[in-house]
Amino acid sequence: MLSVCSLFAGIGGIDLAFSQAGFDIVWANEKDAAACETYRRNFGEKQLVEKDIRKVKADDIPDFDVLAAGFPCQPFSIAGKQKGFGDKRGNLFFEITRIVDAKRPKVVFLENVANLVEHDNGRTFLVIFNSLAQFGYVVYYKVMYANEYGNLPHIRKRIYITAVHDSVSKGYSHPEPIALTVQSSDIIHRDVRQNEIYYYNGNDLFSYFAGKMFDKSAIYRPTDNEVRLTKNRMCPTLTANMGTYPDRVPIVWDDFGIRKLTLRECLDFQGFPQSFFFPNTISLDDAYKQIGNSVCVPVVRRIAERIGLLLG
């Protein structure tokens, strides 16, 4: 069985996708304690090392075929300050190349915000490209939407990088778009009353939201200046700041009032299986943050399947 080393594993979205594609996750690393709780709840204890990656020696990691990482995206996001490698989180990318240099896996898979390509007039991406190329990797990359490549009604745009080592004889090609057959109404059941923690009924924001939400069948994204209707009734991009600013969680008007998307709905919009749950030991804010920091599982699974064919 092909093996995977997972860096910046978060709650395990990438790990789940590769597992679904038939890979064995032999080692995973994450330093956020709350994310590690969620990871263990769904994957067990065996492969997860809760530690700052900068303190991990490459020799302590078992050999593997694929290195997979959704490395911190905030330094490159248009929603953040875009400090890039000037942000200490941006410099964590070089922890990936440190381990790639030592282990020389057959494939390196990376996921990040689409703005990575344009950040600092393309210089940031050129550093990433050249950092992999210097170790003998052919770098393939593509910006993909979840609604076009993952059959999810979620407007989430990300860059996916697959770097294949020269020792692999076959070339790689990214998945092609597929039809969107899942609708938001398959995920949001407005005739079902949710837990009261999600509702704004009686809250000061209820009247404000009610005055902006003219289409009760749509999903809205609250921002600093407006309540924005998302196109085609799809879910807007779920972001990590949902956990930092609770009123940034997308909202809907159901048969019982105005409310946030529930944690289960957010997981569904990211393509997580029904068997995936958050432990009751973490806060609601942490759970929202973890969802926003994760990936659209079906998109990554399709890429993992391509990598499996390449290495099989």
Side-chain angles (χ1 to χ4, degrees):
M1 183 181 290
L2 293 168
S3 56
V4 174
C5 164
S6 173
L7 304 183
F8 311 105
I11 61 175
I14 290 176
D15 301 28
L16 176 61
F18 272 86
S19 295
Q20 291 174 345
F23 289 78
D24 180 26
I25 313 300
V26 296
W27 194 86
N29 172 254
E30 174 57 50
K31 76 168 187 175
D32 183 271
C36 287
E37 287 188 55
T38 302
Y39 189 103
R40 293 189 185 102
R41 161 63 181 78
N42 292 279
F43 295 92
E45 298 275 350
K46 183 182 70 170
Q47 72 268 32
L48 182 65
V49 174
E50 183 177 340
K51 192 174 186 179
D52 188 327
I53 189 60
R54 291 169 292 190
K55 298 178 181 179
V56 174
K57 296 179 181 179
D59 289 344
D60 293 336
I61 302 173
D63 291 338
F64 52 88
D65 298 301
V66 177
L67 183 147
F71 60 104
C73 65
Q74 292 89 343
F76 313 107
S77 172
I78 57 174
K81 297 181 179 179
Q82 299 192 59
K83 292 183 178 179
F85 292 131
D87 186 314
K88 65 181 181 180
R89 295 169 299 179
N91 283 321
L92 289 172
F93 169 75
F94 298 109
E95 295 301 313
I96 296 174
T97 57
R98 173 175 68 86
I99 294 171
V100 168
D101 184 24
K103 308 297 283 190
R104 299 299 169 100
K106 297 173 183 175
V107 171
V108 178
F109 167 77
L110 307 174
E111 182 265 2
N112 211 284
V113 292
N115 191 59
L116 183 68
V117 179
E118 301 171 358
H119 183 267
D120 195 17
N121 294 315
R123 286 187 283 268
T124 296
F125 187 73
L126 186 62
V127 169
I128 292 171
F129 188 101
N130 289 339
S131 295
L132 295 170
Q134 70 175 327
F135 298 127
Y137 289 87
V138 180
V139 181
Y140 303 84
Y141 63 95
K142 189 172 186 178
V143 173
M144 293 186 265
Y145 282 92
N147 57 296
E148 295 177 351
Y149 291 87
N151 195 21
L152 291 168
H154 183 183
I155 309 171
R156 189 180 183 90
K157 182 182 180 184
R158 290 292 185 269
I159 186 170
Y160 300 92
I161 302 168
T162 302
V164 182
H165 196 264
D166 288 338
S167 61
V168 179
S169 59
K170 292 182 286 186
Y172 172 82
S173 61
H174 282 292
E176 295 298 321
I178 56 176
L180 179 63
T181 61
V182 178
Q183 304 301 317
S184 293
S185 57
D186 296 320
I187 294 173
I188 300 172
H189 303 290
R190 297 171 194 266
D191 59 344
V192 176
R193 190 179 189 91
Q194 303 297 330
N195 190 298
E196 286 300 320
I197 61 174
Y198 297 114
Y199 285 92
Y200 285 99
N201 300 344
N203 185 294
D204 291 341
L205 286 172
F206 178 86
S207 296
Y208 172 72
F209 288 152
K212 305 287 185 178
M213 298 172 66
F214 302 110
D215 184 350
K216 292 189 177 183
S217 64
I219 305 175
Y220 288 81
R221 175 202 288 281
T223 70
D224 288 338
N225 304 310
E226 61 181 329
V227 181
R228 186 181 304 163
L229 174 73
T230 54
K231 65 180 181 180
N232 299 329
R233 293 179 172 79
M234 288 193 284
C235 178
T237 301
L238 299 174
T239 60
N241 73 0
M242 295 189 301
T244 308
Y245 304 98
D247 298 325
R248 293 299 180 267
V249 181
I251 54 177
V252 296
W253 199 325
D254 69 12
D255 294 349
F256 308 94
I258 296 173
R259 64 170 176 83
K260 305 173 185 180
L261 292 183
T262 67
L263 293 180
R264 179 71 260 166
E265 288 166 340
C266 290
L267 286 170
D268 290 347
F269 277 117
Q270 288 278 52
F272 281 79
Q274 293 298 306
S275 58
F276 194 99
F277 282 96
F278 290 100
N280 57 16
T281 52
I282 67 168
S283 69
L284 186 65
D285 288 345
D286 270 334
Y288 277 122
K289 175 184 175 182
Q290 290 171 17
I291 294 171
N293 270 333
S294 194
V295 299
C296 289
V297 176
V299 180
V300 179
R301 185 186 68 239
R302 294 187 67 210
I303 294 170
E305 289 168 349
R306 292 286 184 111
I307 294 172
L309 291 173
L310 182 70
L311 301 181

